[in-house]
């Protein structure tokens, strides 16, 4: 993590948190009055890459589980068999059965509006996972939300914890990415640790490591961005 100045990172995190509390911060010599929002703002790591040709170079993808959940209120639904449906009821997790999925009639617009757009992530019973393309078509895959498999007899609660703490880096057609790595409800140290771990993992995915990083920013959902590597 030597590439990122710890003082710059610490000061940026402090300003993000102060701004989210409604305090006035100074950025670039300009005073910016903050505003406290009525929802939990995430803190995003924004990445600009260089020395990459998305049309020629191999596109990377990788997932990493952070120690603290960036998005604890992630909205999750399970596509469940009978046994998992009972477990979902016990832990208060939304679920849909095969009978429920059949009601969508593979209608792409309905699936997108009432399923893909409604939930942030999905789980699916091991016995149902192969049926999903037949029941729902490619809608969840295209939305980047294909369900995480839950084995027979496995409690979905453990998978919920895994999903809420897992981030995904994936290079597509553009050289910019934005990943939620923390939230303003966390303390400064926890935010710093999550950011550092996320960046360190990203570096392992890059062809030339730090040489592929053009600039890194962090920002809250509604706040200004702060460069932490440039």
């Amino acid at each position: 993590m030597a590439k990122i100045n710890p003082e710059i990172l610490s000061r940026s995190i402090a300003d993000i948190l102060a701004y989210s509390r409604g305090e006035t911060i100074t950025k670039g010599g300009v005073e910016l009055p903050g505003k406290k929002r009525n929802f939990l703002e995430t803190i995003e790591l924004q990445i600009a890459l260089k020395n990459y040709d998305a049309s020629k170079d191999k596109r990377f993808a990788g997932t990493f589980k952070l120690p603290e959940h960036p998005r604890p209120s992630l909205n999750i639904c399970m596509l469940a068999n009978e046994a998992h449906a009972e477990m979902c009821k016990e832990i208060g997790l939304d679920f849909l059965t095969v009978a429920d999925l059949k009601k969508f009639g593979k209608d792409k617009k309905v699936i997108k509006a009432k399923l893909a757009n409604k939930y942030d992530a999905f789980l699916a019973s091991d016995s149902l996972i192969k049926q999903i393309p037949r029941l729902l078509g490619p809608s969840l895959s295209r939305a980047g939300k294909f369900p995480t498999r839950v084995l027979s007899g496995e409690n979905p609660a453990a998978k919920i914890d895994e999903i809420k703490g897992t981030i995904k880096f994936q290079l597509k057609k553009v050289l910019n990415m934005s990943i939620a790595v923390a939230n303003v409800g966390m303390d400064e140290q926890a935010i710093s640790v999550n950011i550092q771990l996320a960046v360190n993992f990203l570096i392992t995915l890059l062809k030339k490591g730090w040489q592929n990083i053009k600039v890194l920013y962090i920002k809250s959902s509604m706040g200004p961005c702060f460069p932490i590597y440039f």
Side-chain angles (χ1 to χ4, degrees):
M1 199 59 191
K3 293 283 185 176
I4 293 180
N5 186 306
E7 291 184 12
I8 292 176
L9 178 60
S10 179
R11 186 165 62 248
S12 298
I13 293 171
D15 280 344
I16 284 174
L17 294 180
Y19 188 89
S20 74
R21 292 192 295 265
E23 300 171 16
T24 297
I25 63 172
T26 302
K27 185 175 185 289
V30 178
E31 288 193 348
L32 301 174
K35 183 177 181 180
K36 185 173 176 60
R37 309 289 171 171
N38 59 2
F39 65 93
L40 182 65
E41 295 183 73
T42 57
I43 296 176
E44 299 174 354
L45 173 66
Q46 297 184 333
I47 305 138
L49 301 177
K50 64 180 181 180
N51 302 325
Y52 245 105
D53 187 337
S55 64
K56 296 180 181 179
D57 294 330
K58 183 179 179 181
R59 298 181 188 180
F60 62 80
T63 58
F64 183 81
K65 189 174 186 302
L66 296 169
E68 289 214 27
H69 297 165
R71 300 171 66 190
S73 58
L74 208 64
N75 200 10
I76 300 173
C77 178
M78 181 162 189
L79 312 182
N81 60 22
E82 187 174 345
H84 280 139
E86 290 302 316
M87 293 182 190
C88 289
K89 291 177 184 177
E90 292 175 3
I91 62 175
L93 178 65
D94 286 359
F95 68 91
L96 294 170
T97 63
V98 169
D100 295 323
L101 298 181
K102 287 180 178 179
K103 293 176 184 177
F104 290 122
K106 296 183 71 172
D107 186 314
K108 294 179 182 178
K109 290 184 178 180
V110 174
I111 293 170
K112 183 178 180 180
K114 295 189 176 182
L115 202 58
N117 289 349
K118 183 178 179 180
Y119 294 99
D120 299 304
F122 295 89
L123 300 174
S125 301
D126 183 66
S127 59
L128 297 187
I129 203 92
K130 292 182 179 179
Q131 299 181 50
I132 292 171
R134 179 173 58 81
L135 293 168
L136 301 176
S139 298
L140 295 186
S141 294
R142 287 177 178 172
K145 297 179 181 180
F146 193 80
T148 297
R149 184 189 302 265
V150 181
L151 299 177
S152 177
E154 183 180 14
N155 194 313
K159 290 293 184 181
I160 293 172
D161 178 74
E162 182 181 315
I163 288 175
K164 287 184 176 181
T166 299
I167 57 173
K168 182 177 183 179
F169 292 101
Q170 185 172 12
L171 179 66
K172 296 185 179 179
K173 294 180 180 180
V174 295
L175 299 182
N176 299 316
M177 289 180 282
S178 183
I179 311 292
V181 294
N183 65 71
V184 299
M186 295 163 56
D187 62 45
E188 289 187 31
Q189 178 62 25
I191 294 170
S192 180
V193 169
N194 268 20
I195 291 171
Q196 292 180 57
L197 289 173
V199 172
N200 285 344
F201 178 70
L202 170 63
I203 297 304
T204 67
L205 298 175
L206 300 176
K207 184 174 59 175
K208 297 181 179 179
W210 282 99
Q211 294 179 47
N212 290 128
I213 299 291
K214 182 178 181 181
V215 63
L216 297 173
Y217 296 94
I218 54 173
K219 74 176 297 292
S220 61
S221 301
M222 306 301 291
C225 61
F226 296 85
I228 58 171
Y229 177 80
F230 43 91

